[in-house]
Structure formats: C-alpha cells, structure tokens
Amino acid sequence: MHTGNDIGLIGLGVMGQNLALNIAHQGYTVSVYNRTPEKTTDFIENRVENEQIEGLYDLPAFVESLEKPRRIILMVQAGKAVDLVIESILPYIDEDDLIIDAGNSYYPDTERRLAQLEEQGYLFLGMGVSGGEYGALHGPSIMPGGAEYAYELVEDILIKIAAQTDDGPCCTYVGNGSAGHFVKMVHNGIEYSIMQNTSEAYDLMRSAFDMKAPMISDVFESWNKGELNSYLYEISYKVLREIDIETGKPLVDLILDQAEQKGTGKWTSQSGLDLGVPVPSLSAAVSSRVISHFKNLRVKTADLAAAYNDKVDYTQSMIDDLRDSALFAMFLSFSQGIWLMSAASDAFGYELDLAEVLRIWKGGCIIRAKMLNFLQEIIKEDQTNVNLLLNTKSIQYLESKLDAVNRTLEIARMSRIPMPVLSSALDYYFSASASNLPANFIQAQRDFFGAHTYQRIDKKGVFHTEWEE
C-alpha cells in the first residue's frame, strides 16, 4: 500500500528543480523542501504544472510525507552545507532510510559521511550527476556509489530519469564507498582539459589565423560532424554564433578572459599526485584557469614582453592539423583520467568497471563524445590496460596524429600562443612511450646531495656513491 511520496529532494536551485521535475515526469511522486521557503513557493507556483510534486515548508513534515524506507536526494552546495542538511534531517528519519548526496562533493568527505551514517544505521550514496541544467531535466549521466543494496532502493528511479542511449540508460552502480563522487570528480577533470583544449584551438584560429568568431564557429561545427562529435564541440560552435544585442558584436569577444572554477578540477589534479598517477593535461587545464585570473599582471607583462603581430596565411591543411591535434589531446585527456580511476579503484576498493563508466558517459553528460566508443572498445579488450596505451590500435591512432600535433605546436610557438593542454598531452605520450627517461640522472643528483641511493640496471641491490671527498 502506498503510504507517502516516492522520493524527497532537498535543495531547489535550478539543478534541484529540474531533477525533481524529471523524476515526476517519469510518474513518481516527489516531496521537495528548500531552506528558503520563498524558493519552494516560487517553484511550486511557477514551474510545477501537472506533475505530482508536493512542496513542504518544514523538515518534519517533509520527512513524514515520504514512503518508508525513505529516499532523500540532497542537491545542495558541496562542503559544509551537505553536513548541515544531513544533521538537520537525522532527528526525523529512521534506520535504513537512504540519503543521497547528488552534489559535487569531494570524495574524502563522502567516505567520512558514509562511515558516520552507516555506524548510525542509515544508508548513504554519493552520486555524481553530469549534464547541467538541461541534463537534470531531460536525462543526465548518473554515477552512484556506496553500498550496492542502498543503490537498489533507488535504482528504478535513477535508471528511468537518466539519459537513454542505444547502449542503455546512462546510469549504473559505479562501485563501493565514494566511487560515485570520485568518478564524477575525474569526469570534471577531463572536462576541464577538453574545454581548455577547445579554447586553445579557438585562440590559434583567432590570434594566428586572424579568423573571426563566425568562421571559427563554422570550423567547430564541421568538426562536430566527424570524429570530434561531442557535447563540448556542439556548444562551442553555438557560443561563437551568439551576437550581443547592444553592440552587434560576437558576444564571446566581449567576455572577460578570466575563467572561474569550483574546485573539482583542482581535486582531480591533487588526487593524481596523491595516488602517484600522471595527469599533466588535466593539471595544465587547472593551471590555465588560475593564470587567467591574473589579468592585470598579464597586461603589465605583455607590455614588457616582445609582441607578435604577424598573422599566418593559413591553409585548410593547417585547420586539419588543428583538428587532429584536438583528437590527440582528447584521447590523452581521457587516458589520464582512466588511469587515475583505475589506480583509485585499486587503492580504495571501488571495484570500478571502467567500460561501464565510459558507457554511462555516452549520453546526458558534459564529456559525452563519439570517441568514447573507441575508448570503450579498447578497455573491453583489456581492463588492466590502465592508461589505454598498451594497445596497438591506441598507438597507431596517436602516431597517426603526431605530425599534425608537431606542426600545430610549431605555429603556436612562433605566434606566442600558449597551448598547455596540447603540449602536455604530447609530452605525456612521449614520456609514457619512452623505454628510457632521464630519471637516472635525477637519481644520481639526489644521491649526490642527499645520499638517497639508487638502483642499477646491471645488478640487483641499492647503491650509494661518495661523489666527492
């Protein structure tokens, strides 16, 4: 017998509102609550039409309105706000009720909350949600992690509200513990890298080739019809076509060149260092956003530095090289993210199925891309191929792009145009495919000044040299 609403949602920002509407559109009854009552009223009066959504104005009534075992989704800002909301609802819920944190929480916070709530008898899921406002309403990519039996309590709803593709719904049980939020964090790190690389391609066309926004838009649109087909290239050509009403100029030309960030890219970079996994392209994208914020410093430095004003008489082959360079960088951005997820799965016992992770990224999410089919094919052949590079098809694909990457970077260097993601992707590939690196020289230096010892290639053991008297 139905004794209450199917699910509850706390946090009525745009993402929360759209997710509640999405759930209701699938035939479920939804209770909603927001700390600010006016936001609940506004949502119910202006956005809810025929959906079975009930607005509640105090937490006891909200909890009481739900069918047992209760399922409660939190769509609030990551950090302290999540802890405060959890603390506020605990007095009113029962053991075996389920709390789902659907925000971009840092995975160590999720591990802590999971342990605390399980100790008290409550169920908890850390759930990544990708797709932005549109995805939340029409079908996002959903990455839930935690106890599998907790996921099963809400699986029917999540499967139905997720984006649907030919490969199935873009939702799966990701893994144990904080797996859902770790995977979403890496998703965002890859997103940072691809976004930075698209901006690098845009900059080369704008600054070196002297192409205007509409022309660059046409290039991105043509790329989006081929191998680079992806959400980020789709929005890129649309962004470049937007005209400012007041000035009649492309809006992108009027936007200040300071990129914001919410922390997930930085967390990905930090996690790579913590787990000893190289993610240079993802880290370069984070650093690029940081550098962009020093606008005044950059302007002053530009006045002192040598200027480059000449334009390149570009050809179609240069545009083709730039496209192949973008494919090269995209592949290796995914490569680094997949390696990081694999290492985390081993370190934290996530038991990730990387092919499944790539599958649920094929629809609804910000990094959905045609390339995911190729990457998934490689992973399915060997799940132990942690960086995708131990595969003949991978190497052949990347080697076929090398000349294009080198030619593109040559133009960029000559034109003083930074391409940190593409440059780091090339160096990452060269390093990862080098049978010998100069790390032997570093070890010799370390032993010289710090007696840190070294190993030899001709015999076993640990050695130290007295380099000088």
Side-chain angles (χ1 to χ4, degrees):
M1 186 175 104
H2 192 278
T3 57
N5 291 329
D6 297 313
I7 195 165
L9 186 143
I10 296 176
L12 291 175
V14 176
M15 284 288 290
Q17 290 183 26
N18 285 359
L19 198 64
L21 289 168
N22 185 355
I23 295 170
H25 292 161
Q26 300 304 319
Y28 296 98
T29 55
V30 186
S31 297
V32 296
Y33 171 84
N34 195 81
R35 182 175 56 86
T36 307
E38 293 79 12
K39 193 164 263 188
T40 304
T41 300
D42 180 67
F43 173 57
I44 296 298
E45 291 182 353
N46 296 309
R47 295 204 64 195
V48 176
E49 295 180 355
N50 300 317
E51 297 88 1
Q52 295 187 65
I53 298 178
E54 181 181 2
L56 284 307
Y57 293 89
D58 65 82
L59 282 174
F62 168 81
V63 172
E64 190 62 29
S65 71
L66 299 173
E67 184 177 30
K68 297 181 180 180
R70 302 177 180 92
R71 299 174 287 187
I72 301 171
I73 296 176
L74 311 184
M75 286 295 285
V76 298
Q77 187 175 2
K80 187 63 178 175
V82 178
D83 292 315
L84 291 175
V85 173
I86 291 174
E87 289 172 11
S88 68
I89 61 176
L90 287 185
Y92 309 111
I93 65 175
D94 301 326
E95 289 188 7
D96 295 329
D97 284 349
L98 171 62
I99 299 172
I100 306 168
D101 175 12
N104 276 333
S105 288
Y106 193 24
Y107 75 93
D109 290 338
T110 302
E111 286 288 349
R112 169 178 55 80
R113 292 167 187 144
L114 187 62
Q116 290 173 348
L117 290 169
E118 282 190 344
E119 186 177 344
Q120 298 174 65
Y122 306 111
L123 302 180
F124 184 74
L125 292 176
M127 186 172 80
V129 179
S130 175
E133 299 170 10
Y134 183 89
L137 181 61
H138 298 285
S141 174
I142 304 176
M143 296 152 260
E148 190 164 9
Y149 58 84
Y151 166 70
E152 290 169 355
L153 287 177
V154 76
E155 180 180 18
D156 57 337
I157 297 176
L158 299 182
I159 291 293
K160 288 181 181 177
I161 67 170
Q164 307 294 316
T165 70
D166 292 341
D167 282 354
C170 293
C171 173
T172 191
Y173 170 67
V174 173
N176 303 313
S178 57
H181 278 146
F182 192 95
V183 167
K184 178 56 166 55
M185 177 193 72
V186 174
H187 163 291
N188 285 21
I190 295 169
E191 175 187 307
Y192 272 51
S193 187
I194 297 174
M195 289 177 70
Q196 174 62 30
N197 187 239
T198 58
S199 77
E200 294 168 10
Y202 157 76
D203 196 19
L204 194 71
M205 287 187 276
R206 174 190 66 170
S207 301
F209 299 166
D210 200 25
M211 295 169 64
K212 306 305 179 188
M215 296 176 65
I216 302 173
S217 174
D218 290 343
V219 171
F220 280 158
E221 184 178 18
S222 68
W223 290 358
N224 192 57
K225 294 176 181 177
E227 285 186 83
L228 278 170
N229 177 263
S230 60
Y231 176 77
L232 286 171
Y233 274 94
E234 178 185 326
I235 68 169
S236 292
Y237 79 76
K238 293 178 179 179
V239 161
L240 290 162
R241 286 187 182 158
E242 187 70 22
I243 301 299
D244 177 56
I245 297 175
E246 295 181 18
T247 64
K249 297 178 180 179
L251 179 58
V252 70
D253 293 343
L254 302 172
I255 296 175
L256 183 66
D257 57 327
Q258 291 181 331
E260 303 291 341
Q261 55 182 314
K262 292 188 175 180
T264 48
K266 180 183 72 173
W267 296 341
T268 306
S269 182
Q270 290 174 333
S271 297
L273 294 172
D274 291 341
L275 291 167
V277 175
V279 288
S281 300
L282 281 54
S283 297
V286 177
S287 294
S288 295
R289 293 199 189 188
V290 174
I291 291 173
S292 77
H293 257 258
F294 293 92
K295 175 71 173 179
N296 292 335
L297 180 62
R298 289 189 287 115
V299 171
K300 291 177 182 178
T301 306
D303 290 338
L304 299 173
Y308 180 89
N309 296 316
D310 294 339
K311 302 299 179 183
V312 175
D313 292 327
Y314 72 91
T315 63
Q316 183 58 46
S317 65
M318 292 179 184
I319 300 293
D320 293 343
D321 282 348
L322 190 55
R323 177 204 61 215
D324 285 350
S325 297
L327 286 164
F328 183 89
M330 181 182 284
F331 184 103
L332 290 172
S333 296
F334 277 112
S335 162
Q336 294 164 36
I338 289 168
W339 191 351
L340 182 55
M341 289 189 294
S342 177
S345 185
D346 290 341
F348 305 136
Y350 288 155
E351 299 182 5
L352 297 180
D353 183 334
L354 294 173
E356 267 291 276
V357 171
L358 296 181
R359 182 190 68 76
I360 65 172
W361 285 352
K362 290 184 181 181
C365 80
I366 305 301
I367 60 172
R368 65 166 174 79
K370 183 177 180 180
M371 183 176 285
L372 286 165
N373 294 317
F374 181 42
L375 304 178
Q376 188 184 36
E377 177 186 325
I378 295 167
I379 284 290
K380 282 183 174 179
E381 289 180 6
D382 182 7
Q383 283 265 359
T384 66
N385 183 6
V386 294
N387 62 4
L388 302 179
L389 299 181
L390 298 175
N391 181 282
T392 302
K393 285 182 288 190
S394 298
I395 298 300
Q396 290 176 342
Y397 181 82
L398 293 168
E399 289 286 333
S400 72
K401 307 285 187 290
L402 274 183
D403 289 343
V405 173
N406 285 321
R407 287 190 293 263
T408 297
L409 287 174
E410 183 179 2
I411 294 172
R413 294 289 173 261
M414 181 183 68
S415 304
R416 297 178 66 97
I417 294 172
M419 301 192 82
V421 163
L422 182 59
S423 300
S424 64
L426 182 62
D427 288 337
Y428 167 80
Y429 177 63
F430 283 164
S431 296
S433 59
S435 59
N436 284 294
L437 288 170
N440 56 319
F441 188 58
I442 294 172
Q443 280 301 97
Q445 291 173 318
R446 293 179 73 246
D447 191 55
F448 189 109
F449 65 70
H452 292 296
T453 73
Y454 55 86
Q455 298 179 64
R456 295 174 60 111
I457 61 174
D458 56 347
K459 54 187 175 182
K460 294 182 179 181
V462 178
F463 301 89
H464 168 62
T465 294
E466 293 294 334
W467 297 91
E468 62 180 357
E469 294 181 5

